[in-house]
Amino acid sequence: AGAPAPAAPARNPFVFAARELVPAPRPAPRRIEPVPATDAPVPAEPQFVLVGVAEDQTPAGIVRTAMISGDGDELFMLTEGQVLAGRYRVTVVGSDVVQLESLSSGAIRRLALR
């Protein structure tokens, strides 16, 4: 006889509460600097050919080595992160393709097995 009456429910578990939507922040626009015009001749791209890819199994996983022939009788054996002829950094060595990044311009160059 002296028990308190149950309280009214504070929330309805079957209805979602309204949420305030916050717009996502927009990235600031990037300013593109114009490239200054020069009359200096552009050096010719060196002729590189991917002649093979070797794989070594290590505790850290497979390490691939790209074999790239250059002008003349040059042969370069490079892994990811190494520099080719002082001009390109090897960024990816795949099973049949190598990706090179120009150190001066950041341009990407790909060599594929023939």
Side-chain angles (χ1 to χ4, degrees):
R11 66 178 188 90
N12 184 349
F14 301 105
V15 176
F16 292 107
R19 260 183 20 181
E20 180 180 329
L21 296 177
V22 179
R26 290 189 171 188
R30 293 180 10 194
R31 184 169 182 234
I32 300 174
E33 296 292 329
V35 177
T38 61
D39 293 333
V42 176
E45 290 288 319
Q47 295 297 318
F48 293 122
V49 178
L50 179 62
V51 294
V53 176
E55 292 183 350
D56 289 329
Q57 183 67 37
T58 65
I62 294 177
V63 175
R64 292 189 175 111
T65 302
M67 290 165 267
I68 301 172
S69 68
D71 295 329
D73 292 334
E74 295 177 306
L75 180 66
F76 303 96
M77 296 177 68
L78 305 163
T79 58
E80 289 184 19
Q82 291 184 318
V83 176
L84 172 63
R87 227 175 141 162
Y88 295 99
R89 178 172 313 283
V90 178
T91 56
V92 176
V93 178
S95 60
D96 62 348
V97 70
V98 173
Q99 182 171 302
L100 307 172
E101 179 182 2
S102 173
L103 295 176
S104 60
S105 67
I108 300 297
R109 183 174 176 185
R110 290 182 179 87
L111 305 176
L113 282 174
R114 292 183 180 179

